[in-house]
Amino acid sequence: QLFKVTGFLIPAIVGFLLGGALFFGFTDFGTEQWILWVILSIAAVFGLVLGYLAVKFKKFAYFAIGAGLGLVGGFIVYNAIVSPIVKGNYGVGPFYLTVGLCTIIGGAAALCFLK
């Protein structure tokens, strides 16, 4: 039973944070408050849908948990290795590439460990 709870919470939280980060990336400081609440609500619904899918499909739950851990690992790899190498000369491209690759690798590794 705890796996179902964990399988719901981790994808829901990651989906909420990812959805919020994507939507809030397109807003400015002077954005009206009701627009921010709509964006927050959309991010919450996105997280809840991902959590539901994770409970409904076991493979999706494993992939989502692995992808969440890969996301955290991607932040660590970027800050420890990639950031000192590129020194901010290439914009945000190396960040998204590093974090994206680590996220996909983490999800794929979780599916491999499922078997």
Side-chain angles (χ1 to χ4, degrees):
Q1 287 298 76
L2 286 179
F3 180 76
K4 286 186 179 182
V5 173
T6 305
F8 175 80
L9 282 177
I10 291 177
I13 291 170
V14 169
F16 173 72
L17 293 176
L18 188 63
L22 287 175
F23 283 115
F24 281 115
F26 297 109
T27 60
D28 293 331
F29 183 70
T31 304
E32 294 184 33
Q33 191 173 13
W34 70 272
I35 294 174
L36 299 176
W37 280 107
V38 168
I39 291 171
L40 187 69
S41 301
I42 292 171
V45 168
F46 181 67
L48 291 173
V49 167
L50 284 182
Y52 173 76
L53 289 174
V55 171
K56 190 76 173 163
F57 304 107
K58 187 177 180 182
K59 286 186 178 182
F60 184 77
Y62 273 95
F63 180 82
I65 290 171
L69 292 174
L71 181 75
V72 171
F75 286 129
I76 293 170
V77 168
Y78 178 77
N79 286 325
I81 298 170
V82 178
S83 180
I85 293 172
V86 298
K87 296 180 181 157
N89 294 333
Y90 299 100
V92 295
F95 172 74
Y96 287 127
L97 183 66
T98 304
V99 172
L101 281 175
C102 288
T103 302
I104 292 170
I105 290 170
L111 287 180
C112 288
F113 289 131
L114 175 64
K115 297 180 183 193

